[in-house]
Amino acid sequence: MKRLLLCTLIMATFSAAQATDVPTFSTERLSASVKTLASDAFEGRGPATRAETKTIDYVVAQMKAAGLQPGGDLKDGQRAWTQAVPLLRSQIIGTPSLKLTLGDQQETLTQGDQIALRAPMDGSTAVAIANAPLVFVGYGVKAPERQWDDFKGVDLHGKIAVVFVNDPDFETGQGDFGGKAMTYYGRWTYKYEEAARQGALGLLVIHETAPASYGWATVKNSNTNAMFDIVRKNPSAAHPQLEGWIQRDLAVQMFKHAGLDFDTLKKQAQTRDFKPVVLTGESLSANFKVDSKVITSHNIVGRIEGSKRPNETVIYSAHWDHLGIGAPDAKGDRIYNGAVDNATGTAALIEMGRAFAHGPKPERSVVFLNVTAEEKGLLGSEYYAANPLYPLATTVGVLNTDALDPHGPARNFTISGSAKLGLLDDLIAEAKKYGMSYTADPSPEAGYFFRSDHFSFAKRGVPAVSFGSGNDWVDGGVKAGKAAEDDYTAKRYHQPGDEWQANWSFTGMARDLQLLYAVGNELANSDQWPNWSKDSEFRGARDASAAARK
């Protein structure tokens, strides 16, 4: 009761400090939407399953009730509630046969235990790899602008590369990649892409919890189910046939058999002078069939048309999908409910739409974009950004919400990554009115900037941020907030345990949505065009379309 009274007093204080035109957000409705979307009836909201239809029906019904208009694909001159997203869906049929040869010994590998092999995304309908040689190529990075090349002319055709996750700077915190903060070179997605460019038959990423920023359970659960990709004209240009992860202990064993020391090799790989190392006498064999086909998933799109400049657009975004039904946990639970990730963001999107629909009509249009297949590699947002319903050049900015904290209010907020842009300045200025401060991403080495849907827009120049709940809780401080974060990452993130909890107050989330509303509403009723900092890698792409904003 004391905590409840404390939170009530705090919220009242914040409310008194707000501008009078900022709406309040219902904690009851937020909780109800998260509870529904994360219920077992929605089966983990997997794309291209019956749960997708159920999710779309629910979200569209909620958007209609909130007062939004459809903003999706044009059909006979009318907007639909969805944008069709064609995807390549690939799934391993049955149990893959995986054998590691170490000299005269052969070890059978178990999918999900020592190795997590992804269904191939290069268009293969079967994989039959016999004794492919293994080559260690450091961090798998080729960065000419940094005079860095982990491949140094090695021929990887018919071979499988083995790499560390993250950047070469991760452990030392200094070097050619900017220190601890992850660059795109550190993302496993980049490493697969580069392996394809190098002509490799496959690539295996060595899992270590700290540089990956998550444990093996997350790797297993995220990589051993159906895989998705956007439909590509030449998929093998972006994907080698074999993509997967291996446990650190297995990598140590492989290196030791080849007469190599794991820690020594890692130190060598952290230098520009590193050269590829063949794991002598070692090979991998893999045999399995693949169910590969093109399916259609959907982004959900609500909209409020602007009163004065309808062709200029502010976007609020969140992904609706999660992992669906997968491998059982220790309790036998197979449904990956995705309450925090990202029923919270979808509930926020619905309520943000309600706030705009019930308030003064904005001068610019506001789009509420609920994207699919984020968990499969930001695919729904990638498709939208490549095929925008509303031009990117006149998209003012993107405010993304992903995995919001359903507990009480915090004294701070953050964003994914360490990008510098005007949208962040706007958030910082507005947050002061709520007694909140900005805390830089506490784990830039985790590469969160590249792991949320705003990145699909950012890399095309559109100013975009992914808002993150703060960890300095009003009730309990940083100690309580950090404990909750650690507990979620260890026990719930990408696991069946990510379920709605009756004790979630949603008071912090409701307050954070007021902040996000205030920033978006200001953008929607002004003629300003936020931009990236002058030294940002995304500034050039934005400036290239400047003529469209004059």
Side-chain angles (χ1 to χ4, degrees), residues 309-424:
R309 297 185 298 284
N311 294 328
E312 299 174 4
T313 302
V314 175
I315 294 179
Y316 286 93
S317 65
H319 71 91
W320 60 256
D321 66 300
H322 197 56
L323 301 180
I325 298 174
D329 64 7
K331 298 178 182 178
D333 190 353
R334 298 183 61 228
I335 297 178
Y336 291 68
N337 304 82
V340 170
D341 186 12
N342 187 34
T344 58
T346 299
L349 202 65
I350 292 167
E351 294 309 310
M352 189 65 72
R354 189 188 312 277
F356 273 92
H358 288 232
K361 192 169 186 178
E363 296 178 4
R364 287 165 158 165
S365 295
V366 183
V367 164
F368 304 88
L369 179 63
N370 204 196
V371 296
T372 184
E374 187 271 355
E375 301 291 7
K376 304 302 181 183
L378 315 182
L379 300 183
S381 57
E382 176 67 21
Y383 185 83
Y384 179 96
N387 305 273
L389 295 168
Y390 307 98
L392 297 187
T394 51
T395 295
V396 183
V398 177
L399 295 165
N400 185 64
T401 50
D402 191 350
L404 297 175
D405 186 349
H407 295 96
R411 299 183 182 92
N412 60 341
F413 77 95
T414 189
I415 64 169
S416 298
S418 54
K420 293 178 288 185
L421 71 167
L423 273 183
L424 176 58

Side-chain angles (χ1 to χ4, degrees), residues 121-187:
M121 301 305 299
D122 69 335
S124 295
T125 56
V127 170
I129 296 173
N131 300 314
L134 300 170
V135 183
F136 174 64
V137 290
Y139 285 84
V141 173
K142 186 177 179 68
E145 76 284 2
R146 301 169 197 255
Q147 293 82 51
W148 195 283
D149 182 5
D150 282 333
F151 300 94
K152 293 185 175 64
V154 66
D155 182 6
L156 290 176
H157 290 83
K159 301 171 185 175
I160 296 172
V162 179
V163 300
F164 288 123
V165 70
N166 213 308
D167 287 321
D169 290 1
F170 170 76
E171 291 194 351
T172 63
Q174 57 186 1
D176 297 290
F177 292 83
K180 279 281 188 182
M182 183 190 285
T183 70
Y184 189 57
Y185 293 117
R187 283 290 285 152

Side-chain angles (χ1 to χ4, degrees), residues 58 79 93 96 194 209 214 234 266 286 305 308 319 328-329 340-341 372 429 463 492 550:
Y58 176 81
R79 289 283 181 185
I93 298 173
E194 189 59 48
T209 297
Y214 38 72
N234 183 17
K266 180 182 282 189
E305 186 169 1
K308 293 185 178 179
H319 71 91
D329 64 7
V340 170
D341 186 12
T372 184
R492 294 169 179 79
K550 291 182 178 178

